[in-house]
Every structure is written in structure tokens, then in C-alpha cells.
Amino acid sequence: MEKTVRELAEFLHGKLENDAPELKVTGVNGLVEAGANDISFAVPPHVEHCHLSRAGVMVLGFDDPALPDNRPVIRVENPRAAFAALLELFRHRAEVERVVTTGNHMAYLKIAEGCDKRCSYCIIPKIRGRFRSVPMQELLNEAKRLASEGVKELVLVAQETTLYGKDLTGEKQLPLLLHELCKIEGIEWIRLLYCYPEEITDELIKVIKTEEKVCNYIDMPIQHSENRILQRMGRRTSREDLVAVIKKLRKEIPDITIRTTLITGFPGESQEDHEGLMNFVEECQFDRLGVFTYSPEEDTLAATFEDQIDEEVKEERRDELMSLQQEISYEHTQQLVGKTIKVMVEGYLFEDDIYVGRSYMDAPKVDGCVFINSPEELMTGDFVYVKITQGREYDVIGEVDYEFTK
């Protein structure tokens, strides 16, 4: 079944009025990598049950006998435009009931779509369009419904959470949204991801500090530390600014966990730049850190830069950074030994006869775990207090502290 981009929205709208279909979106060039790598994140949460899968290259007349008759194949000449059309179609369909796929105890709450930053290495603005906040009442309604279904942790996501609401009112409204979400009964943890450092305000820091339900945790992707590389990336900050915001966060919230991500091997990155980044990581002592080698995206400015770095050099620099971070992380886990922390139980490992969970310091899927020894049965989604007995590079091990756990 072939559909033009113009016909795509009308076709899907009609299908979604009934049972949501599985859609296999294909194109002559496939979906661009930035979208295909994480389609589940790109599609707004309230349509998680409408499964999208990347098909790759499709030639005219191709017919996949494995596809059931009721699953349409949408073929378009411009995959990027099709992807944008899908997002625009789904954007305002909050009436479609969301099916939570993360388990009953936690859920992602997508508060905005798109991005206006236009970093030189990023294709996202061309795929997802301009920054668009979800109206606050829609978010509150969704959060209340999730809480009624047993969700206890909300993880707020967007391309840039810190700008939430500015396109709607002219002012950043993330602090207000957090205040309102904290009023919802049943929600115990609210976690912030994708906070741009230059948009972190004193008001936001105060909310994180004072609202008990907001985890003392912030994910703040900085990508690099050296000013020359930051400028080439199109980032709107400097090494000095980054150090200042990190110091302020730790001064105001001493037990805050700061997570960040870095790109190594960006075009033109010299050995001196890499050493500067290493020194920066050593200085800042990030609690959580991810490092990725630069990968050129088609139709981005950075992909046209002539001074590309060899893959072998990129990987060596990544490995050096991660080796340094492993040492830092190990020191941090050792500091937890002997302390009792609140942990959300997430499952049980039968082979090891041990439970696994997360503390406020650990975002799902990207950070470490707390392994819990317990003589009594623990239920997924419950909170328990765990006394840490051992620290590893990224994870900690402990036992239920029944003095605090009720």
C-alpha cells in the first residue's frame, strides 16, 4: 500500500479512530538514523501502543508476505517528511489512551516536542520541528491517570525540558509544572532529564531543592567542555558557564546527582581539546556520565566539516574518558557503603537470588542499580530502605534495613 506524504496524515487519522494498527513505515532511503535509533522516544507517550518499526530500504513492488493484511505498509519518497507528519498527527491526540510499557511503577512523561537550538551535529530540529510544549492541563491529566494506575515515578523528558512552556506563555514554566505534579497523590518521585545547562534557573534549582517529590537528580547534557569545540557544535554555553552551574547546583543541593553526556571525536577536536575535556571531567566529578563518539548525520553542518576524526582515535578518546569516569564512579559508590538509602524495587534475579532496584540517584535504563538482599519477598514498585554493604564501579549492593522500612 503506497501513500504520499500528503495522504499520510488522513490515512493514519482514519486508522486511529478504530483499533490502533501496527505501522511499518518505509521509504527509499529508510528513516534517518536520528529518528530510527529511538522511534519510541520520538512518538509522543499517549500513542505508545501504536508500534512503529523501521523497515529500511524498500524497492518499488516489494511485498513482504510476513505482514498481516491488517498492517498497512506506508511507502513515501521522503522518509523525513513522513516522520514529521507522523509526529504532527500524534501530537494532539491526547484522547488516545496510553498503554504504559515501562511497568506499572514508573512512566515517562513527555512534556514537549521538537527543538529550536540547531546544534551543528544534530538533525533533530529538521525531523521533529520547532519546540512545542504540551499544554500543562494535558500533562496533569495524564499524570493523574498514570498515578491512578499505580505509577509512582514520573520521568520528565523532551528534547529540552528546561524550556517547557516558553512557547506557550513567553516564560519558562517547568518550575510551575513541577509544583503542580507534586500535588498529585500517588506520585512519589519526579525525575528531570535533558536539562540544558544554560537554561537552568535559580527558580528551577529552588524547586528541586524544596519539593520533596522532585528527585535531587538532574540530567544535563553538555557534550563538551572546550570553548572552541562548543562553538563549533553550536552550543550556547562555555566551559566557564558549565563550571559555574555545576558549582551552584552542588552548593544549593549538596546531595544532588548530576548526570551528563559527552561527544568525543567531534570534527577538529585536537589532542589538547581532548586533554582539556579529561581535566574537566576530573574537576567536575560527575556522578553519572555517558560518552559517545561523534557520528556525522546527513544534512547537518558538522557533517560537512573537512577535519573529521579517524574512528580509531574517537574510540580511544572515548575509552580514556570512560576509564576515568569508572574510577570516579567507583569512588562515589564507596562513599555510600554503610549508608541507608531509599530504593524502588524493580525486579528479582532468580539466578542470583537477589532483588534489583534504583535509588533517586539512578535514572531507569541509563544509570546503575541497587542490588538488594532480602529474606522477605519484595514487590516490584515498592519502596524499601537499603543499607549499602558493597560498592562496585557503577552499582551498589545492600540489604533491607527494617529499622526504616515499614
PDB file of all heavy atoms in Angstrom, residues 105-106 150-154 186-191 213 215 341-346 358-360 372 378-386 400 404-406:
ATOM      1  N   HIS A 105       5.104   0.823  37.736  1.00  0.00           N
ATOM      2  CA  HIS A 105       5.629   1.667  38.802  1.00  0.00           C
ATOM      3  C   HIS A 105       6.253   2.964  38.317  1.00  0.00           C
ATOM      4  O   HIS A 105       6.380   3.914  39.081  1.00  0.00           O
ATOM      5  CB  HIS A 105       6.652   0.884  39.622  1.00  0.00           C
ATOM      6  CG  HIS A 105       7.781   0.345  38.788  1.00  0.00           C
ATOM      7  ND1 HIS A 105       7.620  -0.721  37.935  1.00  0.00           N
ATOM      8  CD2 HIS A 105       9.070   0.732  38.670  1.00  0.00           C
ATOM      9  CE1 HIS A 105       8.769  -0.971  37.331  1.00  0.00           C
ATOM     10  NE2 HIS A 105       9.659  -0.106  37.750  1.00  0.00           N
ATOM     11  N   MET A 106       6.688   3.035  37.053  1.00  0.00           N
ATOM     12  CA  MET A 106       7.257   4.275  36.540  1.00  0.00           C
ATOM     13  C   MET A 106       6.810   4.507  35.107  1.00  0.00           C
ATOM     14  O   MET A 106       6.438   3.570  34.408  1.00  0.00           O
ATOM     15  CB  MET A 106       8.784   4.276  36.633  1.00  0.00           C
ATOM     16  CG  MET A 106       9.533   3.270  35.758  1.00  0.00           C
ATOM     17  SD  MET A 106       9.703   3.708  33.988  1.00  0.00           S
ATOM     18  CE  MET A 106      10.585   5.264  34.115  1.00  0.00           C
ATOM     19  N   GLY A 150      -1.211   3.192  39.323  1.00  0.00           N
ATOM     20  CA  GLY A 150      -0.135   2.661  40.148  1.00  0.00           C
ATOM     21  C   GLY A 150       1.252   3.200  39.859  1.00  0.00           C
ATOM     22  O   GLY A 150       2.223   2.768  40.487  1.00  0.00           O
ATOM     23  N   VAL A 151       1.374   4.130  38.927  1.00  0.00           N
ATOM     24  CA  VAL A 151       2.685   4.712  38.633  1.00  0.00           C
ATOM     25  C   VAL A 151       3.127   5.575  39.813  1.00  0.00           C
ATOM     26  O   VAL A 151       2.364   6.410  40.301  1.00  0.00           O
ATOM     27  CB  VAL A 151       2.644   5.553  37.340  1.00  0.00           C
ATOM     28  CG1 VAL A 151       3.911   6.381  37.182  1.00  0.00           C
ATOM     29  CG2 VAL A 151       2.457   4.638  36.133  1.00  0.00           C
ATOM     30  N   LYS A 152       4.361   5.374  40.243  1.00  0.00           N
ATOM     31  CA  LYS A 152       4.890   6.114  41.388  1.00  0.00           C
ATOM     32  C   LYS A 152       6.024   7.066  41.009  1.00  0.00           C
ATOM     33  O   LYS A 152       6.331   7.979  41.764  1.00  0.00           O
ATOM     34  CB  LYS A 152       5.396   5.130  42.449  1.00  0.00           C
ATOM     35  CG  LYS A 152       4.297   4.242  43.019  1.00  0.00           C
ATOM     36  CD  LYS A 152       4.840   3.265  44.044  1.00  0.00           C
ATOM     37  CE  LYS A 152       3.729   2.374  44.597  1.00  0.00           C
ATOM     38  NZ  LYS A 152       4.256   1.386  45.580  1.00  0.00           N
ATOM     39  N   GLU A 153       6.631   6.822  39.865  1.00  0.00           N
ATOM     40  CA  GLU A 153       7.723   7.691  39.412  1.00  0.00           C
ATOM     41  C   GLU A 153       7.422   8.221  38.021  1.00  0.00           C
ATOM     42  O   GLU A 153       7.109   7.466  37.107  1.00  0.00           O
ATOM     43  CB  GLU A 153       9.053   6.938  39.386  1.00  0.00           C
ATOM     44  CG  GLU A 153      10.206   7.787  38.869  1.00  0.00           C
ATOM     45  CD  GLU A 153      11.512   7.033  38.742  1.00  0.00           C
ATOM     46  OE1 GLU A 153      11.496   5.777  38.848  1.00  0.00           O
ATOM     47  OE2 GLU A 153      12.563   7.671  38.525  1.00  0.00           O
ATOM     48  N   LEU A 154       7.533   9.536  37.868  1.00  0.00           N
ATOM     49  CA  LEU A 154       7.410  10.180  36.570  1.00  0.00           C
ATOM     50  C   LEU A 154       8.783  10.672  36.139  1.00  0.00           C
ATOM     51  O   LEU A 154       9.473  11.361  36.906  1.00  0.00           O
ATOM     52  CB  LEU A 154       6.447  11.366  36.632  1.00  0.00           C
ATOM     53  CG  LEU A 154       4.969  11.064  36.877  1.00  0.00           C
ATOM     54  CD1 LEU A 154       4.193  12.372  36.992  1.00  0.00           C
ATOM     55  CD2 LEU A 154       4.386  10.199  35.769  1.00  0.00           C
ATOM     56  N   GLY A 186      -0.103   9.796  45.033  1.00  0.00           N
ATOM     57  CA  GLY A 186       0.393   8.543  44.473  1.00  0.00           C
ATOM     58  C   GLY A 186       1.744   8.676  43.806  1.00  0.00           C
ATOM     59  O   GLY A 186       2.513   7.712  43.753  1.00  0.00           O
ATOM     60  N   ILE A 187       2.048   9.851  43.270  1.00  0.00           N
ATOM     61  CA  ILE A 187       3.355  10.089  42.669  1.00  0.00           C
ATOM     62  C   ILE A 187       4.353  10.382  43.792  1.00  0.00           C
ATOM     63  O   ILE A 187       4.149  11.289  44.589  1.00  0.00           O
ATOM     64  CB  ILE A 187       3.322  11.258  41.675  1.00  0.00           C
ATOM     65  CG1 ILE A 187       2.355  10.967  40.520  1.00  0.00           C
ATOM     66  CG2 ILE A 187       4.723  11.546  41.146  1.00  0.00           C
ATOM     67  CD1 ILE A 187       2.723   9.756  39.695  1.00  0.00           C
ATOM     68  N   GLU A 188       5.434   9.620  43.820  1.00  0.00           N
ATOM     69  CA  GLU A 188       6.430   9.793  44.891  1.00  0.00           C
ATOM     70  C   GLU A 188       7.756  10.344  44.395  1.00  0.00           C
ATOM     71  O   GLU A 188       8.466  11.007  45.144  1.00  0.00           O
ATOM     72  CB  GLU A 188       6.657   8.462  45.612  1.00  0.00           C
ATOM     73  CG  GLU A 188       5.414   7.932  46.317  1.00  0.00           C
ATOM     74  CD  GLU A 188       5.722   6.812  47.286  1.00  0.00           C
ATOM     75  OE1 GLU A 188       6.768   6.873  47.967  1.00  0.00           O
ATOM     76  OE2 GLU A 188       4.915   5.860  47.344  1.00  0.00           O
ATOM     77  N   TRP A 189       8.116  10.044  43.157  1.00  0.00           N
ATOM     78  CA  TRP A 189       9.353  10.563  42.575  1.00  0.00           C
ATOM     79  C   TRP A 189       9.040  11.241  41.249  1.00  0.00           C
ATOM     80  O   TRP A 189       8.271  10.735  40.437  1.00  0.00           O
ATOM     81  CB  TRP A 189      10.345   9.432  42.301  1.00  0.00           C
ATOM     82  CG  TRP A 189      11.124   8.961  43.490  1.00  0.00           C
ATOM     83  CD1 TRP A 189      11.118   9.464  44.753  1.00  0.00           C
ATOM     84  CD2 TRP A 189      12.060   7.865  43.502  1.00  0.00           C
ATOM     85  NE1 TRP A 189      11.975   8.749  45.551  1.00  0.00           N
ATOM     86  CE2 TRP A 189      12.565   7.769  44.817  1.00  0.00           C
ATOM     87  CE3 TRP A 189      12.496   6.964  42.532  1.00  0.00           C
ATOM     88  CZ2 TRP A 189      13.497   6.805  45.179  1.00  0.00           C
ATOM     89  CZ3 TRP A 189      13.429   6.002  42.896  1.00  0.00           C
ATOM     90  CH2 TRP A 189      13.934   5.926  44.203  1.00  0.00           C
ATOM     91  N   ILE A 190       9.683  12.395  41.031  1.00  0.00           N
ATOM     92  CA  ILE A 190       9.630  13.087  39.738  1.00  0.00           C
ATOM     93  C   ILE A 190      11.071  13.375  39.339  1.00  0.00           C
ATOM     94  O   ILE A 190      11.825  13.989  40.103  1.00  0.00           O
ATOM     95  CB  ILE A 190       8.819  14.392  39.816  1.00  0.00           C
ATOM     96  CG1 ILE A 190       7.380  14.097  40.261  1.00  0.00           C
ATOM     97  CG2 ILE A 190       8.829  15.106  38.473  1.00  0.00           C
ATOM     98  CD1 ILE A 190       6.569  15.343  40.550  1.00  0.00           C
ATOM     99  N   ARG A 191      11.450  12.909  38.175  1.00  0.00           N
ATOM    100  CA  ARG A 191      12.857  12.981  37.753  1.00  0.00           C
ATOM    101  C   ARG A 191      12.983  13.816  36.482  1.00  0.00           C
ATOM    102  O   ARG A 191      12.155  13.708  35.564  1.00  0.00           O
ATOM    103  CB  ARG A 191      13.374  11.561  37.492  1.00  0.00           C
ATOM    104  CG  ARG A 191      14.866  11.460  37.232  1.00  0.00           C
ATOM    105  CD  ARG A 191      15.266  10.008  36.972  1.00  0.00           C
ATOM    106  NE  ARG A 191      14.916   9.137  38.074  1.00  0.00           N
ATOM    107  CZ  ARG A 191      15.661   8.962  39.168  1.00  0.00           C
ATOM    108  NH1 ARG A 191      16.790   9.643  39.291  1.00  0.00           N
ATOM    109  NH2 ARG A 191      15.276   8.136  40.117  1.00  0.00           N
ATOM    110  N   LYS A 213       9.103  15.587  46.422  1.00  0.00           N
ATOM    111  CA  LYS A 213       8.893  14.565  45.404  1.00  0.00           C
ATOM    112  C   LYS A 213       9.845  14.686  44.217  1.00  0.00           C
ATOM    113  O   LYS A 213      10.036  13.718  43.474  1.00  0.00           O
ATOM    114  CB  LYS A 213       7.447  14.608  44.900  1.00  0.00           C
ATOM    115  CG  LYS A 213       6.411  14.183  45.935  1.00  0.00           C
ATOM    116  CD  LYS A 213       5.020  14.147  45.317  1.00  0.00           C
ATOM    117  CE  LYS A 213       3.978  13.682  46.307  1.00  0.00           C
ATOM    118  NZ  LYS A 213       2.628  13.587  45.694  1.00  0.00           N
ATOM    119  N   CYS A 215      13.173  14.483  42.605  1.00  0.00           N
ATOM    120  CA  CYS A 215      14.448  13.844  42.948  1.00  0.00           C
ATOM    121  C   CYS A 215      15.597  14.853  42.862  1.00  0.00           C
ATOM    122  O   CYS A 215      15.636  15.689  41.953  1.00  0.00           O
ATOM    123  CB  CYS A 215      14.735  12.690  41.994  1.00  0.00           C
ATOM    124  SG  CYS A 215      13.585  11.304  42.131  1.00  0.00           S
ATOM    125  N   ILE A 341      19.720   4.031  52.116  1.00  0.00           N
ATOM    126  CA  ILE A 341      19.085   4.860  51.094  1.00  0.00           C
ATOM    127  C   ILE A 341      17.731   4.265  50.710  1.00  0.00           C
ATOM    128  O   ILE A 341      17.497   3.070  50.844  1.00  0.00           O
ATOM    129  CB  ILE A 341      19.969   4.985  49.832  1.00  0.00           C
ATOM    130  CG1 ILE A 341      20.254   3.606  49.227  1.00  0.00           C
ATOM    131  CG2 ILE A 341      21.266   5.707  50.166  1.00  0.00           C
ATOM    132  CD1 ILE A 341      21.046   3.665  47.922  1.00  0.00           C
ATOM    133  N   LYS A 342      16.852   5.135  50.220  1.00  0.00           N
ATOM    134  CA  LYS A 342      15.527   4.713  49.764  1.00  0.00           C
ATOM    135  C   LYS A 342      15.637   4.156  48.349  1.00  0.00           C
ATOM    136  O   LYS A 342      16.253   4.766  47.469  1.00  0.00           O
ATOM    137  CB  LYS A 342      14.565   5.902  49.791  1.00  0.00           C
ATOM    138  CG  LYS A 342      13.123   5.561  49.462  1.00  0.00           C
ATOM    139  CD  LYS A 342      12.252   6.819  49.566  1.00  0.00           C
ATOM    140  CE  LYS A 342      10.787   6.530  49.245  1.00  0.00           C
ATOM    141  NZ  LYS A 342       9.950   7.746  49.350  1.00  0.00           N
ATOM    142  N   VAL A 343      15.023   3.003  48.129  1.00  0.00           N
ATOM    143  CA  VAL A 343      15.157   2.309  46.839  1.00  0.00           C
ATOM    144  C   VAL A 343      13.791   1.851  46.340  1.00  0.00           C
ATOM    145  O   VAL A 343      12.977   1.347  47.110  1.00  0.00           O
ATOM    146  CB  VAL A 343      16.097   1.082  46.978  1.00  0.00           C
ATOM    147  CG1 VAL A 343      16.150   0.288  45.675  1.00  0.00           C
ATOM    148  CG2 VAL A 343      17.485   1.525  47.401  1.00  0.00           C
ATOM    149  N   MET A 344      13.555   2.038  45.044  1.00  0.00           N
ATOM    150  CA  MET A 344      12.369   1.482  44.404  1.00  0.00           C
ATOM    151  C   MET A 344      12.706   0.098  43.852  1.00  0.00           C
ATOM    152  O   MET A 344      13.636  -0.048  43.059  1.00  0.00           O
ATOM    153  CB  MET A 344      11.875   2.377  43.261  1.00  0.00           C
ATOM    154  CG  MET A 344      10.711   1.778  42.478  1.00  0.00           C
ATOM    155  SD  MET A 344      10.266   2.741  41.014  1.00  0.00           S
ATOM    156  CE  MET A 344       9.332   4.075  41.758  1.00  0.00           C
ATOM    157  N   VAL A 345      11.962  -0.911  44.279  1.00  0.00           N
ATOM    158  CA  VAL A 345      12.198  -2.280  43.813  1.00  0.00           C
ATOM    159  C   VAL A 345      11.713  -2.422  42.374  1.00  0.00           C
ATOM    160  O   VAL A 345      10.599  -2.005  42.044  1.00  0.00           O
ATOM    161  CB  VAL A 345      11.482  -3.304  44.716  1.00  0.00           C
ATOM    162  CG1 VAL A 345      11.738  -4.726  44.235  1.00  0.00           C
ATOM    163  CG2 VAL A 345      11.927  -3.140  46.171  1.00  0.00           C
ATOM    164  N   GLU A 346      12.551  -3.018  41.516  1.00  0.00           N
ATOM    165  CA  GLU A 346      12.191  -3.144  40.105  1.00  0.00           C
ATOM    166  C   GLU A 346      12.125  -4.579  39.607  1.00  0.00           C
ATOM    167  O   GLU A 346      11.649  -4.825  38.506  1.00  0.00           O
ATOM    168  CB  GLU A 346      13.176  -2.345  39.245  1.00  0.00           C
ATOM    169  CG  GLU A 346      13.072  -0.841  39.440  1.00  0.00           C
ATOM    170  CD  GLU A 346      13.433  -0.088  38.193  1.00  0.00           C
ATOM    171  OE1 GLU A 346      14.541  -0.305  37.688  1.00  0.00           O
ATOM    172  OE2 GLU A 346      12.605   0.714  37.716  1.00  0.00           O
ATOM    173  N   ARG A 358      16.358   0.803  42.146  1.00  0.00           N
ATOM    174  CA  ARG A 358      17.034   2.082  41.872  1.00  0.00           C
ATOM    175  C   ARG A 358      16.812   3.041  43.029  1.00  0.00           C
ATOM    176  O   ARG A 358      15.756   3.028  43.655  1.00  0.00           O
ATOM    177  CB  ARG A 358      16.502   2.726  40.599  1.00  0.00           C
ATOM    178  CG  ARG A 358      16.825   2.013  39.316  1.00  0.00           C
ATOM    179  CD  ARG A 358      16.304   2.768  38.110  1.00  0.00           C
ATOM    180  NE  ARG A 358      14.846   2.792  38.038  1.00  0.00           N
ATOM    181  CZ  ARG A 358      14.095   3.850  38.274  1.00  0.00           C
ATOM    182  NH1 ARG A 358      14.658   5.017  38.589  1.00  0.00           N
ATOM    183  NH2 ARG A 358      12.779   3.782  38.194  1.00  0.00           N
ATOM    184  N   SER A 359      17.781   3.906  43.256  1.00  0.00           N
ATOM    185  CA  SER A 359      17.621   4.993  44.216  1.00  0.00           C
ATOM    186  C   SER A 359      17.309   6.278  43.455  1.00  0.00           C
ATOM    187  O   SER A 359      17.267   6.272  42.217  1.00  0.00           O
ATOM    188  CB  SER A 359      18.899   5.171  45.044  1.00  0.00           C
ATOM    189  OG  SER A 359      19.919   5.756  44.247  1.00  0.00           O
ATOM    190  N   TYR A 360      17.151   7.374  44.169  1.00  0.00           N
ATOM    191  CA  TYR A 360      16.896   8.644  43.481  1.00  0.00           C
ATOM    192  C   TYR A 360      18.082   9.018  42.605  1.00  0.00           C
ATOM    193  O   TYR A 360      17.957   9.837  41.674  1.00  0.00           O
ATOM    194  CB  TYR A 360      16.619   9.759  44.495  1.00  0.00           C
ATOM    195  CG  TYR A 360      17.870  10.352  45.126  1.00  0.00           C
ATOM    196  CD1 TYR A 360      18.547  11.410  44.528  1.00  0.00           C
ATOM    197  CD2 TYR A 360      18.383   9.851  46.320  1.00  0.00           C
ATOM    198  CE1 TYR A 360      19.698  11.954  45.097  1.00  0.00           C
ATOM    199  CE2 TYR A 360      19.519  10.376  46.895  1.00  0.00           C
ATOM    200  CZ  TYR A 360      20.181  11.430  46.282  1.00  0.00           C
ATOM    201  OH  TYR A 360      21.312  11.943  46.852  1.00  0.00           O
ATOM    202  N   ILE A 372      19.586  -5.852  46.035  1.00  0.00           N
ATOM    203  CA  ILE A 372      19.029  -5.906  47.385  1.00  0.00           C
ATOM    204  C   ILE A 372      18.917  -7.347  47.866  1.00  0.00           C
ATOM    205  O   ILE A 372      18.221  -8.168  47.256  1.00  0.00           O
ATOM    206  CB  ILE A 372      17.632  -5.258  47.422  1.00  0.00           C
ATOM    207  CG1 ILE A 372      17.630  -3.907  46.691  1.00  0.00           C
ATOM    208  CG2 ILE A 372      17.136  -5.111  48.858  1.00  0.00           C
ATOM    209  CD1 ILE A 372      16.256  -3.421  46.298  1.00  0.00           C
ATOM    210  N   LEU A 378       9.835  -9.090  48.219  1.00  0.00           N
ATOM    211  CA  LEU A 378       9.636  -7.688  47.892  1.00  0.00           C
ATOM    212  C   LEU A 378       8.816  -7.589  46.614  1.00  0.00           C
ATOM    213  O   LEU A 378       8.952  -8.413  45.714  1.00  0.00           O
ATOM    214  CB  LEU A 378      10.976  -6.978  47.710  1.00  0.00           C
ATOM    215  CG  LEU A 378      11.969  -7.050  48.885  1.00  0.00           C
ATOM    216  CD1 LEU A 378      13.272  -6.335  48.518  1.00  0.00           C
ATOM    217  CD2 LEU A 378      11.355  -6.441  50.146  1.00  0.00           C
ATOM    218  N   MET A 379       7.995  -6.566  46.534  1.00  0.00           N
ATOM    219  CA  MET A 379       7.128  -6.387  45.378  1.00  0.00           C
ATOM    220  C   MET A 379       7.657  -5.283  44.478  1.00  0.00           C
ATOM    221  O   MET A 379       8.086  -4.224  44.957  1.00  0.00           O
ATOM    222  CB  MET A 379       5.703  -6.055  45.836  1.00  0.00           C
ATOM    223  CG  MET A 379       5.062  -7.121  46.704  1.00  0.00           C
ATOM    224  SD  MET A 379       4.923  -8.721  45.876  1.00  0.00           S
ATOM    225  CE  MET A 379       3.738  -8.311  44.586  1.00  0.00           C
ATOM    226  N   THR A 380       7.620  -5.528  43.176  1.00  0.00           N
ATOM    227  CA  THR A 380       8.040  -4.515  42.212  1.00  0.00           C
ATOM    228  C   THR A 380       7.208  -3.243  42.382  1.00  0.00           C
ATOM    229  O   THR A 380       5.987  -3.298  42.462  1.00  0.00           O
ATOM    230  CB  THR A 380       7.880  -5.040  40.778  1.00  0.00           C
ATOM    231  OG1 THR A 380       8.722  -6.177  40.611  1.00  0.00           O
ATOM    232  CG2 THR A 380       8.260  -3.976  39.753  1.00  0.00           C
ATOM    233  N   GLY A 381       7.885  -2.127  42.445  1.00  0.00           N
ATOM    234  CA  GLY A 381       7.220  -0.843  42.613  1.00  0.00           C
ATOM    235  C   GLY A 381       7.183  -0.368  44.050  1.00  0.00           C
ATOM    236  O   GLY A 381       6.919   0.808  44.298  1.00  0.00           O
ATOM    237  N   ASP A 382       7.470  -1.261  44.997  1.00  0.00           N
ATOM    238  CA  ASP A 382       7.504  -0.857  46.402  1.00  0.00           C
ATOM    239  C   ASP A 382       8.796  -0.112  46.711  1.00  0.00           C
ATOM    240  O   ASP A 382       9.831  -0.326  46.067  1.00  0.00           O
ATOM    241  CB  ASP A 382       7.390  -2.068  47.323  1.00  0.00           C
ATOM    242  CG  ASP A 382       5.971  -2.601  47.429  1.00  0.00           C
ATOM    243  OD1 ASP A 382       5.055  -1.944  46.892  1.00  0.00           O
ATOM    244  OD2 ASP A 382       5.782  -3.674  48.033  1.00  0.00           O
ATOM    245  N   PHE A 383       8.730   0.733  47.725  1.00  0.00           N
ATOM    246  CA  PHE A 383       9.922   1.407  48.214  1.00  0.00           C
ATOM    247  C   PHE A 383      10.398   0.718  49.483  1.00  0.00           C
ATOM    248  O   PHE A 383       9.598   0.401  50.366  1.00  0.00           O
ATOM    249  CB  PHE A 383       9.629   2.883  48.508  1.00  0.00           C
ATOM    250  CG  PHE A 383       9.494   3.730  47.275  1.00  0.00           C
ATOM    251  CD1 PHE A 383       8.247   4.007  46.731  1.00  0.00           C
ATOM    252  CD2 PHE A 383      10.614   4.265  46.645  1.00  0.00           C
ATOM    253  CE1 PHE A 383       8.108   4.791  45.602  1.00  0.00           C
ATOM    254  CE2 PHE A 383      10.493   5.042  45.508  1.00  0.00           C
ATOM    255  CZ  PHE A 383       9.238   5.310  44.990  1.00  0.00           C
ATOM    256  N   VAL A 384      11.701   0.498  49.560  1.00  0.00           N
ATOM    257  CA  VAL A 384      12.305  -0.061  50.765  1.00  0.00           C
ATOM    258  C   VAL A 384      13.564   0.745  51.077  1.00  0.00           C
ATOM    259  O   VAL A 384      14.114   1.432  50.208  1.00  0.00           O
ATOM    260  CB  VAL A 384      12.673  -1.555  50.604  1.00  0.00           C
ATOM    261  CG1 VAL A 384      11.425  -2.405  50.409  1.00  0.00           C
ATOM    262  CG2 VAL A 384      13.648  -1.756  49.449  1.00  0.00           C
ATOM    263  N   TYR A 385      14.009   0.653  52.322  1.00  0.00           N
ATOM    264  CA  TYR A 385      15.264   1.288  52.696  1.00  0.00           C
ATOM    265  C   TYR A 385      16.348   0.221  52.718  1.00  0.00           C
ATOM    266  O   TYR A 385      16.175  -0.856  53.309  1.00  0.00           O
ATOM    267  CB  TYR A 385      15.133   1.995  54.036  1.00  0.00           C
ATOM    268  CG  TYR A 385      14.346   3.282  53.926  1.00  0.00           C
ATOM    269  CD1 TYR A 385      12.958   3.278  54.028  1.00  0.00           C
ATOM    270  CD2 TYR A 385      14.994   4.483  53.670  1.00  0.00           C
ATOM    271  CE1 TYR A 385      12.227   4.455  53.900  1.00  0.00           C
ATOM    272  CE2 TYR A 385      14.274   5.666  53.542  1.00  0.00           C
ATOM    273  CZ  TYR A 385      12.895   5.638  53.652  1.00  0.00           C
ATOM    274  OH  TYR A 385      12.180   6.801  53.528  1.00  0.00           O
ATOM    275  N   VAL A 386      17.455   0.521  52.080  1.00  0.00           N
ATOM    276  CA  VAL A 386      18.530  -0.457  51.905  1.00  0.00           C
ATOM    277  C   VAL A 386      19.827   0.091  52.489  1.00  0.00           C
ATOM    278  O   VAL A 386      20.248   1.214  52.162  1.00  0.00           O
ATOM    279  CB  VAL A 386      18.732  -0.781  50.410  1.00  0.00           C
ATOM    280  CG1 VAL A 386      19.883  -1.765  50.221  1.00  0.00           C
ATOM    281  CG2 VAL A 386      17.446  -1.347  49.805  1.00  0.00           C
ATOM    282  N   VAL A 400      18.017  -5.033  53.061  1.00  0.00           N
ATOM    283  CA  VAL A 400      16.888  -4.237  53.556  1.00  0.00           C
ATOM    284  C   VAL A 400      17.151  -3.842  55.008  1.00  0.00           C
ATOM    285  O   VAL A 400      17.512  -4.673  55.851  1.00  0.00           O
ATOM    286  CB  VAL A 400      15.566  -5.012  53.451  1.00  0.00           C
ATOM    287  CG1 VAL A 400      14.425  -4.193  54.046  1.00  0.00           C
ATOM    288  CG2 VAL A 400      15.283  -5.342  51.985  1.00  0.00           C
ATOM    289  N   PHE A 404      14.072   1.149  59.117  1.00  0.00           N
ATOM    290  CA  PHE A 404      13.458   2.255  58.391  1.00  0.00           C
ATOM    291  C   PHE A 404      12.310   1.778  57.500  1.00  0.00           C
ATOM    292  O   PHE A 404      11.355   2.519  57.232  1.00  0.00           O
ATOM    293  CB  PHE A 404      14.488   2.974  57.524  1.00  0.00           C
ATOM    294  CG  PHE A 404      15.565   3.652  58.309  1.00  0.00           C
ATOM    295  CD1 PHE A 404      16.765   3.006  58.561  1.00  0.00           C
ATOM    296  CD2 PHE A 404      15.384   4.925  58.809  1.00  0.00           C
ATOM    297  CE1 PHE A 404      17.774   3.628  59.294  1.00  0.00           C
ATOM    298  CE2 PHE A 404      16.374   5.546  59.542  1.00  0.00           C
ATOM    299  CZ  PHE A 404      17.572   4.901  59.785  1.00  0.00           C
ATOM    300  N   THR A 405      12.408   0.539  56.984  1.00  0.00           N
ATOM    301  CA  THR A 405      11.366   0.016  56.086  1.00  0.00           C
ATOM    302  C   THR A 405      10.194  -0.474  56.891  1.00  0.00           C
ATOM    303  O   THR A 405      10.330  -1.302  57.787  1.00  0.00           O
ATOM    304  CB  THR A 405      11.933  -1.146  55.251  1.00  0.00           C
ATOM    305  OG1 THR A 405      13.055  -0.659  54.489  1.00  0.00           O
ATOM    306  CG2 THR A 405      10.876  -1.658  54.288  1.00  0.00           C
ATOM    307  N   LYS A 406       9.026   0.039  56.526  1.00  0.00           N
ATOM    308  CA  LYS A 406       7.804  -0.358  57.242  1.00  0.00           C
ATOM    309  C   LYS A 406       6.986  -1.322  56.406  1.00  0.00           C
ATOM    310  O   LYS A 406       6.982  -1.244  55.195  1.00  0.00           O
ATOM    311  CB  LYS A 406       6.963   0.875  57.585  1.00  0.00           C
ATOM    312  CG  LYS A 406       7.688   1.853  58.522  1.00  0.00           C
ATOM    313  CD  LYS A 406       6.820   3.053  58.812  1.00  0.00           C
ATOM    314  CE  LYS A 406       7.534   4.021  59.749  1.00  0.00           C
ATOM    315  NZ  LYS A 406       6.736   5.228  60.040  1.00  0.00           N
TER     316      LYS A 406
END
